[in-house]
Amino acid sequence: MKTNLKFLGLTILAFAFIFVTASADRSAPLGSSETPTELAHEIVNLKTEMEMGLEIEARAPGASWLREGKEAPAVLISVDGVYNQDLLLWAGDETYSYRVSLGRLSKGRHRISVTLNPARSAAEARQAEVKAVHALPLAATNTAAEDRLAFAYSPVLYARANTIDHFTDIPLLTYYEILRPQTGDLIVRYTTIFTNEDGGTQTLALMARWGRGTDIEWVYEVRLRTGKVVAESFQGVNHETKPFTGSYTGGRHPLLAVASDNNNFSDLACSAVRFANLPVRADLENATRESVMDRYPQTYRVMTEELQREHRIDPQATGINVIADPRDYFYVEAASEQTGATLGFDVKVAGAKENFSSDLGDGRLRIDRSGNFRTAVRLPHGVAPASIESITARCHAGEHPASERSCKHLRLLRVLTLDENFLPHPLPLQSQGEVSLSPGQSQLYKVQH
């Protein structure tokens, strides 16, 4: 299935900004030898210095993120013969539109090259077809000024050293939020969605407490005042917020390295491989971080494929690091203010003798954080969405001492399932306002069909 990513309605105003010529081989798959093979190139003549992105429509015949040794071919992107970044064609046989940031290019003529790199490709995935390449001038007149700022400061990530050539924990997607604190400053915060995390939270707890098997980590934040940078920070190892004091590339794009097995960062380290996703904008005031994945359903598929390849999906097995197929779960998005309390959710299915619980009866798997969150409830295989009758939210006392215990301002944002193709399908809920619960109390939400 061919997929075109919608990107803020960005149109390619080539005549206003650049003159483009492109070449892509549309014939037989390339790259059977160890020698790097150019798959496509594009010539751009810029009338002025500007931020540039690149869209690559490509597929990898025979590749599959699910299969060890066939995960993905590697592509090397260069500008004027100089290395810019790497790209793994993780979508496999599917034609997919990969979007990357090239950084700030100077006025004049530039040659952008997309080359197959067999040395970085999986042993049995050394073929790739590029259907088209498109230059993306990120200073287009119909792009909001704050979005142009976001493009200009997006981070470039060096791969974690122990993931290189192992096809694990890759950065699938980066999004940014525009925040406006009361000081009048403008903050751009960047977050990356990784296929999984090799360290940190176990898979069962990821599904119960976060509603996904991917790893979602904020990377970098820049604060601007009257258009000038006044502060920069990033998420260091052990989730420590640290001031950014590192280097930049391609203008003001900060260089950061994935430095821990749970995908935290360093502004000093580097590696042989780096990625620069072209970020997408997200408004999460009334949504979860996980909702960004809903806009790009392929993230669910590659998440599941990596979990399967790492033997973390087995419907017959039990354990803290094993789950069922993510398509067998029911996803609940809610918002609340937790004080000394935790939340769990039950789902009632028509004909079932008992409810199905997000926390599996284990207090450690309940939600103990405030704000917008997602959880996942495992259902028996084959349960149809039409048979889901209701959701019950339960408030529990937290494990730690507290002078007050409550689940305040609780409201369900939405509920959804994933179909066979990993497409999310929201279910309509009976209208409910905010409620506040004490430990031992619950709130019922009915699904409308």
Side-chain angles (χ1 to χ4, degrees), residues 137-214:
L138 301 179
T141 54
N142 66 330
T143 304
E146 57 195 23
D147 294 319
R148 292 199 294 270
L149 283 173
F151 296 146
Y153 294 99
S154 62
V156 175
L157 295 182
Y158 284 109
R160 200 175 78 222
N162 62 357
T163 66
I164 296 174
D165 301 336
H166 292 285
F167 309 96
T168 180
D169 290 16
I170 65 166
L172 279 178
L173 179 69
T174 297
Y175 68 83
Y176 63 92
E177 299 169 81
I178 302 295
L179 309 174
R180 294 181 178 82
Q182 293 181 349
T183 59
D185 295 348
L186 185 146
I187 295 175
V188 187
R189 178 182 296 158
Y190 301 88
T191 297
T192 292
I193 301 175
F194 295 86
T195 49
N196 188 231
E197 59 176 297
D198 289 335
T201 307
Q202 292 93 345
T203 309
L204 184 70
L206 273 176
M207 291 297 284
R209 291 176 45 78
W210 303 96
R212 32 84 178 177
T214 55

Side-chain angles (χ1 to χ4, degrees), residues 51-245:
E51 291 289 328
M52 290 293 296
L54 186 70
E55 180 179 66
I56 305 167
E57 293 184 38
R59 62 182 291 266
S64 170
W65 200 254
L66 174 63
R67 305 299 179 192
E68 187 172 352
K70 296 184 177 182
E71 293 91 346
V75 165
L76 187 148
I77 300 169
S78 60
V79 179
D80 300 327
V82 177
Y83 168 78
N84 187 273
Q85 65 188 276
D86 301 272
L87 174 67
L88 294 176
L89 302 184
W90 49 262
D93 263 320
E94 176 185 351
T95 298
Y96 190 81
S97 296
Y98 301 87
R99 288 193 170 196
V100 300
S101 170
L102 299 176
R104 194 166 187 83
L105 302 188
S106 61
K107 176 183 177 180
R109 182 182 185 276
H110 298 280
R111 189 180 194 276
I112 304 166
S113 177
V114 179
T115 302
L116 183 69
N117 186 358
R120 286 276 177 256
S121 300
E124 298 178 62
R126 298 185 178 182
Q127 295 185 353
E129 297 175 356
V130 173
K131 304 296 185 181
V133 289
H134 306 287
L136 305 176
L138 301 179
T141 54
N142 66 330
T143 304
E146 57 195 23
D147 294 319
R148 292 199 294 270
L149 283 173
F151 296 146
Y153 294 99
S154 62
V156 175
L157 295 182
Y158 284 109
R160 200 175 78 222
N162 62 357
T163 66
I164 296 174
D165 301 336
H166 292 285
F167 309 96
T168 180
D169 290 16
I170 65 166
L172 279 178
L173 179 69
T174 297
Y175 68 83
Y176 63 92
E177 299 169 81
I178 302 295
L179 309 174
R180 294 181 178 82
Q182 293 181 349
T183 59
D185 295 348
L186 185 146
I187 295 175
V188 187
R189 178 182 296 158
Y190 301 88
T191 297
T192 292
I193 301 175
F194 295 86
T195 49
N196 188 231
E197 59 176 297
D198 289 335
T201 307
Q202 292 93 345
T203 309
L204 184 70
L206 273 176
M207 291 297 284
R209 291 176 45 78
W210 303 96
R212 32 84 178 177
T214 55
D215 186 26
I216 303 180
E217 303 286 352
W218 82 270
V219 181
Y220 168 78
E221 183 177 284
V222 59
R223 178 185 289 259
L224 300 109
R225 185 174 301 152
T226 62
K228 295 183 179 180
V229 175
V230 295
E232 299 171 82
S233 58
F234 70 98
Q235 181 182 190
V237 175
N238 297 322
H239 304 290
E240 181 183 358
T241 299
K242 304 181 72 172
F244 178 81
T245 59

Side-chain angles (χ1 to χ4, degrees), residues 228-303:
K228 295 183 179 180
V229 175
V230 295
E232 299 171 82
S233 58
F234 70 98
Q235 181 182 190
V237 175
N238 297 322
H239 304 290
E240 181 183 358
T241 299
K242 304 181 72 172
F244 178 81
T245 59
S247 303
Y248 305 89
T249 186
R252 281 298 299 263
H253 297 272
L255 286 166
L256 289 149
V258 184
S260 66
D261 284 352
N262 62 335
N263 301 320
N264 292 170
F265 308 94
S266 167
D267 62 350
L268 297 176
C270 66
S271 70
V273 171
R274 73 186 196 190
F275 303 104
N277 294 330
L278 189 58
V280 298
R281 185 167 180 171
D283 180 0
L284 302 183
E285 183 176 355
N286 294 301
T288 64
R289 300 186 302 168
E290 292 75 23
S291 68
V292 181
M293 293 177 60
D294 300 343
R295 293 159 54 187
Y296 305 93
Q298 295 85 353
T299 58
Y300 288 109
R301 177 171 65 82
V302 73
M303 170 195 86

